[in-house]
Amino acid sequence: MASRPYAALGLLSAVAVTNALIAGYPQSNALALVLVGITDIAVIDFKRHGNRPIIAAGIGVAAAYAGSAWLFGQPDTWYFTQLLWTAVLIAFGLNRRQYEVQAQQTEQLLEQTRLAQSEHARAATLEERGRIARDLHDVLAHSLGALSVQLEVAEALLDERGDTEGALERVRRSRRLAVQGLTEARNAVAALRADAVPDLDQAVAVLAEQHENDHGTAVRLSVTGVVARTESGVTVALLNAAREALTNAARHAPGQPVELVLAYSDGVRLSVRNKGATSGEGFGLAGMRERLALVGGTLTAGPDGDDWLVVAEVPNE
């Protein structure tokens, strides 16, 4: 009935119709076989033809009942009683088929739901991996950029001045930067996995202090407005933007003062200004712009008078 429905239809129709022809014989039990056959036909799922095969079998059985009534002299009440029993059993078979179809559809829906949940979990995992990879890249890019600046200064001290002591101090500072970069990378991964990041104002203050100590450059930090807790994604994006802007400032305007302004209003706005010189925009700031766009923010970078100004802003939703 499931694998070859039309072969089953032919066999069951033969059983139902032939037994309906002898159902009018006195003392006959053929009606039981008619009802079993017609009920089984009603249960079969004829996907392409719907209920038309069932209607055809029912018409055949009704005609056989009429022939049996004529052959064996049964009254009209007998004929209509047989039709009533047949109709009741067909309705029962159709109800059973509908139940099985719904059960099959429910099973398919559950399987689709499991697949969708599996794909959602896989997408969430890939998104988390991408997020960790992006922010780990930003941390390492900042650390390696600062390390490159220190090594360039050490090379210049040795090549131009022969200042071994000064170059050695720069190499030691480079080593501290490397260790610090590894620590920041570990902290970034741990923070991202737990979605627990420090407050933005505190993290920016620590970053400004580190930049001032590593590069011997004056860094002025101002915080305006009512300090509010930001989402982890916003905090990480703004912090990475500040880190990249400071790295560019150290590379393109060494020794020049830097001004950071963290403003809380209808959102949060972080600006980094290089005093006294301009610096170029590289791949790092372009990456920061993409990163901020993911949290609904924007980043602009360009000359502002004699200075270079980087502004990262994330409005409230």
Side-chain angles (χ1 to χ4, degrees):
M1 290 169 62
S3 59
R4 302 178 65 184
Y6 293 97
L9 171 66
L11 294 172
L12 290 170
S13 296
V15 171
V17 171
T18 54
N19 280 276
L21 283 172
I22 61 173
Y25 184 79
Q27 309 279 322
S28 172
N29 293 322
L31 179 61
L33 290 175
V34 177
L35 297 180
V36 169
I38 202 68
T39 302
D40 286 343
I41 291 173
V43 170
I44 299 174
D45 184 13
F46 301 101
K47 294 181 175 60
R48 289 183 299 174
H49 296 92
N51 291 331
R52 282 179 290 179
I54 301 172
I55 295 173
I59 292 173
V61 168
Y65 281 146
S68 182
W70 177 75
L71 285 173
F72 299 108
Q74 295 290 350
D76 291 344
T77 55
W78 177 91
Y79 176 70
F80 288 112
T81 300
Q82 310 312 302
L83 290 182
L84 178 61
W85 276 110
T86 302
V88 168
L89 268 295
I90 288 177
F92 175 80
L94 290 174
N95 182 69
R96 176 66 184 178
R97 186 183 71 175
Q98 184 64 24
Y99 171 79
E100 292 180 355
V101 169
Q102 288 179 348
Q104 185 178 7
Q105 291 175 345
T106 301
E107 185 177 352
Q108 292 174 351
L109 181 60
L110 288 174
E111 182 63 24
Q112 291 175 357
T113 302
R114 283 194 293 268
L115 290 175
Q117 289 175 343
S118 176
E119 287 299 317
H120 179 73
R122 180 174 176 272
T125 300
L126 291 176
E127 182 181 359
E128 179 67 9
R129 288 177 181 175
R131 181 184 172 197
I132 292 174
R134 287 193 303 268
D135 290 290
L136 188 58
H137 163 269
D138 296 336
V139 171
L140 292 178
H142 163 71
S143 301
L144 293 176
L147 186 60
S148 173
V149 171
Q150 296 298 324
L151 292 176
E152 286 176 3
V153 174
E155 183 182 9
L157 290 174
L158 287 174
D159 187 41
E160 298 174 5
R161 302 182 186 177
D163 186 356
T164 306
E165 206 51 47
L168 183 60
E169 176 59 28
R170 293 290 178 171
V171 170
R172 288 171 180 157
R173 184 174 295 176
S174 299
R175 181 181 179 278
R176 290 196 299 271
L177 284 172
V179 173
Q180 178 185 328
L182 289 173
T183 302
E184 287 183 359
R186 294 191 188 100
N187 291 339
V189 172
L192 287 168
R193 282 177 175 170
D195 268 341
V197 295
D199 292 336
L200 180 61
D201 56 327
Q202 297 177 4
V204 171
V206 171
L207 191 63
E209 183 180 357
Q210 290 174 349
H211 183 83
E212 192 171 37
N213 294 334
D214 293 338
H215 300 281
T217 301
V219 180
R220 179 185 173 188
L221 172 63
S222 302
V223 180
T224 63
V226 179
V227 176
R229 179 78 176 179
T230 55
E231 295 181 359
S232 60
V234 174
T235 300
V236 171
L238 289 173
L239 191 59
N240 287 337
R243 185 181 290 113
E244 184 65 32
L246 289 173
T247 299
N248 285 345
R251 180 181 294 117
H252 298 287
Q256 298 298 326
V258 179
E259 181 180 359
L260 282 83
V261 178
L262 183 62
Y264 292 89
S265 182
D266 294 330
V268 59
R269 183 175 185 267
L270 176 67
S271 61
V272 182
R273 180 186 297 271
N274 303 351
K275 288 290 185 179
T278 60
S279 60
E281 178 178 358
F283 176 78
L285 287 180
M288 287 301 98
R289 186 176 287 113
E290 296 176 0
R291 225 61 55 75
L292 280 163
L294 294 176
V295 294
T298 59
L299 184 139
T300 58
D304 185 35
D306 294 332
D307 302 335
W308 183 266
L309 180 64
V310 177
V311 178
E313 185 172 9
V314 179
N316 288 331
E317 295 184 358

